[in-house]
Amino acid sequence: MRKPRVLVTSGDPGGVGPELILRALADPEVGGLAAFTVVGSPASFRRDAEALGLPMPAILPAGDSPAVPARDPPGVPASDPPGVPASDPSGVPASGPSGVTVSNPARAPADRPPVPVGRPSAEGARAAVKAVAAAVALMAWGEANALVTAPVSKEALRLGGYPWPGQTEMLADLCATSDLRVLLMAGPLRVVHVTAHRSLRDAIDGVTRASVLRTIGLADDIGRRLLGRPPRVAVAGLNPHAGEHGILGDEDEEAIRPAVAEARSLGIDASGPLSADTLFPRAAAGETDLVVAMYHDQGHIPVKLLGPDEGVAVTLGLPFLRMSPDHGAAFDIAGKGVARAGSMKAAMRAAAEAAGRDNADTRGTP
């Protein structure tokens, strides 16, 4: 059976991204799950591989892997267009895990000095953006089945002059889409958020019948892809005790309950609104497959409590499957060899398994 093809972007090379990717690929229980192509700066990967004694993924000569368009997607500076993978200076691929390649999206010489480690920088932001832009182009061309992105830095993106607060917004622009959702999963929990990076006051305004219904639909879709069957979707209330039938707020009755009813009429196994303080323990015990949370902390806190160091974020609403570790660039420990790769391994494993299931479903379609 053909392995799924998964792209992995470097994230900010000044952070822990390259180290985490190298550690994950060196683990046979992860590296062998898919045909991984790593997109990023070869110099940064070489630096970390040599410093940490980790296997270096192969760097294929230009033309051995698909090129991406020589025009930058929207939002990406016109200089250094994402494009052809770079050759190793020797012209000989470095030794590394079988089936893994590193492509250089900026067409930079493979021996260009790596991005400085341990601090946010405009250079690190540019490298991260180029990697993501190249990966998006490859995904659009059907060259891979899933994308995993290593962490970037909001501060570095600002230093680089980019408008995005993170990769989710970057991907939305590059894919010309909007109204995305984030699924966070770790341990026994899978939680999709109606709102994410918004103030609590704005998040409350964002809980509408339409936004809740869209979130339930996206939860049902990703649940089918992850589980291979229709999932059970439990929807949390916004207010304490899901509003106590309007006594503690009317959002649950006016927005959430009608959205759940409409989702059920569409054939989705949805329930709610349910009091969040009792819903999450039930979800952790396996009584439901996915939880729809109304705002960032309602969903993030239980996931991070129950699944430390293994959280995976999945972006819903893109034209392809995208996963990432649930943490930042961690500049304070970059280059010190102490970064734990549990979340990156979980993201790469989940992407490979979901992509493999998608491939099997496609092959089975008449």
Side-chain angles (χ1 to χ4, degrees):
M1 181 182 296
R2 183 180 179 183
K3 290 182 178 180
R5 298 166 297 164
V6 178
L7 301 180
V8 187
T9 61
S10 62
D12 191 315
V16 295
E19 175 185 346
L20 297 180
I21 294 168
L22 290 168
R23 289 191 184 280
L25 290 173
D27 183 344
E29 294 186 0
V30 177
L33 291 175
F36 290 103
T37 297
V38 183
V39 185
S41 163
S44 295
F45 280 93
R46 184 177 296 105
R47 173 199 62 203
D48 284 2
E50 292 174 353
L52 302 171
L54 295 170
M56 176 65 184
I59 304 176
L60 294 183
D64 282 10
S65 5
V68 296
R71 179 179 60 85
D72 288 305
V76 181
S79 60
D80 282 333
V84 181
S87 300
D88 184 278
S90 66
V92 179
S95 61
S98 176
V100 180
T101 65
V102 176
S103 64
N104 180 2
R107 286 186 183 151
D111 56 352
R112 172 181 287 182
V115 170
V117 176
R119 60 178 177 84
S121 66
E123 296 91 338
R126 282 194 289 270
V129 170
K130 296 296 185 184
V132 172
V136 167
L138 288 167
M139 294 299 301
W141 284 18
E143 297 295 344
N145 307 112
L147 171 65
V148 176
T149 58
V152 302
S153 160
K154 293 178 175 62
E155 182 180 357
L157 288 172
R158 186 171 65 249
L159 291 172
Y162 295 104
W164 311 293
Q167 289 184 107
T168 299
E169 295 81 4
M170 184 193 311
L171 286 162
D173 273 359
L174 294 175
C175 295
T177 188
S178 61
D179 204 18
L180 304 180
R181 298 291 188 273
V182 174
L183 161 66
L184 195 63
M185 53 186 188
L189 293 179
R190 304 178 190 91
V191 183
V192 186
H193 300 71
V194 175
T195 67
H197 293 128
R198 300 172 66 171
S199 72
L200 186 55
R201 189 180 304 277
D202 286 346
I204 293 171
D205 293 338
V207 176
T208 66
R209 177 172 177 167
S211 66
V212 173
L213 179 61
R214 173 166 172 78
T215 309
I216 295 172
L218 290 171
D220 178 69
D221 178 69
I222 192 63
R224 292 171 185 267
R225 298 177 73 178
L226 293 173
L227 303 173
R229 59 171 174 79
R232 300 164 295 170
V233 181
V235 182
L238 173 67
N239 295 298
H241 308 294
E244 291 278 12
H245 301 286
I247 297 174
L248 301 177
D250 55 15
E251 294 89 354
D252 299 276
E253 295 301 317
E254 294 184 0
I256 302 174
R257 193 176 301 279
V260 172
E262 186 171 351
R264 292 185 63 84
S265 74
L266 297 173
I268 298 174
D269 184 2
S271 59
L274 303 168
S275 181
D277 60 348
T278 56
L279 169 56
F280 280 102
R282 290 170 52 196
E287 294 183 25
T288 191
D289 298 310
L290 289 102
V291 173
V292 171
M294 293 299 118
Y295 56 92
H296 182 280
D297 284 9
Q298 186 184 55
H300 276 57
I301 290 172
V303 171
K304 293 192 175 187
L305 279 172
L306 295 180
D309 300 325
E310 58 178 280
V312 176
V314 187
T315 305
L316 309 181
L318 291 171
F320 49 78
L321 186 67
R322 178 256 177 157
M323 299 189 179
S324 62
D326 180 40
H327 58 71
F331 292 112
D332 57 324
I333 60 171
K336 298 180 180 178
V338 297
R340 295 190 295 268
S343 186
M344 175 60 78
K345 290 181 181 181
M348 293 171 64
R349 184 182 299 111
E353 291 173 352
R357 188 173 290 112
D358 283 352
N359 279 351
D361 290 344
T362 300
R363 287 192 298 269
T365 301

